[in-house]
Amino acid sequence: MNTTMTLTTVALMCGSAIGGVSLPNVWGPMEHVMISLDNGAVHAHVGTHAGNAVELQRFAGENYDGAAAVLDDSYYSSQYGWVADGFISLDAGEFMWVERVSSTAGLDVYEGGMRMMREMHTYDAILGTGGSDDAWMWSGMMVHNWYSADALGSYEATYEVFVGDASGNAVLGYDSAMVTLNFNAVPSPAGLSLLGLGGLVAARRRRA
Ligand SMILES: [Cu+2]
């Protein structure tokens, strides 16, 4: 009787692990793009540059659930987040927009949200990714979008942040701001690299 119960428990635990929700990894400190509106002028500030770019990391072999599967096998990060620096007061029918001015080929963006609410994110292609609109309406809440790339190397994206109507047409009378985000797609974390190396050695032995 006891043995049967133990076996059942083990089976349930395995089942929950296999059927568990697999979400993209979150690591590193938040890097906030601070947005403010002062006397009709939008300001955008970020503390990163090419020399301290956000790292995009790849977790080979991981498969993410549902819409998050767009990040499978890519180098990605959700470190950058859009945040209001103080109170942003807009009139009815006015919204804050972010529009891609330029970005390195191969850099993709998918819509996120609060970092730890990964299961709620849409993972929709935005900001020009996959033919999506270059302009994206920012809610004014903290939003950490997912950036991803297919290959190692450095990437950057420059955005214009402006006040627009519901359709994204700039509202006259406001000055916009420009901001550039920097990325560096780096080799896999040490643990994963070692696993890869082990596989390589095994393959060589087999051939010899
Ligand atoms: Cu944040």
Side-chain angles (χ1 to χ4, degrees):
M1 189 69 171
N2 271 343
T3 309
T4 309
M5 283 186 69
T6 305
L7 284 174
T8 307
T9 307
V10 169
L12 282 172
M13 283 175 69
C14 289
S16 73
I18 292 163
V21 176
S22 180
L23 296 165
N25 299 287
V26 171
W27 71 92
M30 299 196 284
E31 290 293 347
H32 287 149
V33 187
M34 307 299 295
I35 305 298
S36 60
L37 182 62
D38 179 36
N39 288 324
V42 177
H43 296 276
H45 176 78
V46 67
T48 54
H49 48 81
N52 68 345
V54 156
E55 288 190 347
L56 304 176
Q57 290 188 16
R58 180 167 173 261
F59 300 84
E62 290 191 0
N63 294 294
Y64 307 120
D65 284 1
V70 291
L71 297 173
D72 287 0
D73 285 322
S74 74
Y75 297 85
Y76 68 82
S77 170
S78 66
Q79 270 184 267
Y80 278 122
W82 300 88
V83 172
D85 186 6
F87 187 70
I88 295 176
S89 178
L90 294 172
D91 289 338
E94 294 180 345
F95 305 89
M96 198 63 86
W97 289 82
V98 175
E99 182 164 15
R100 180 178 67 149
V101 174
S102 64
S103 64
T104 311
L107 181 68
D108 293 333
V109 198
Y110 300 96
E111 193 170 51
M114 296 284 284
R115 281 188 103 185
M116 296 317 292
M117 295 177 71
R118 295 166 290 173
E119 72 279 8
M120 307 288 288
H121 299 178
T122 66
Y123 300 93
D124 285 343
I126 55 170
L127 293 165
T129 298
S132 61
D133 204 310
D134 281 326
W136 167 74
M137 187 194 284
W138 172 48
S139 64
M141 309 285 283
M142 183 193 291
V143 178
H144 284 259
N145 291 321
W146 297 90
Y147 280 84
S148 80
D150 285 338
L152 293 170
S154 55
Y155 298 82
E156 66 172 48
T158 296
Y159 298 111
E160 180 173 11
V161 187
F162 66 95
V163 177
D165 64 16
S167 305
N169 303 302
V171 174
L172 295 178
Y174 289 102
D175 288 333
S176 64
M178 302 283 269
V179 66
T180 296
L181 308 189
N182 290 91
F183 305 88
N184 193 14
V186 299
S188 303
L192 292 173
S193 298
L194 284 174
L195 282 176
L197 201 62
L200 199 68
V201 170
R204 275 192 190 149
R205 272 189 197 144
R206 220 171 291 137
R207 233 175 277 137

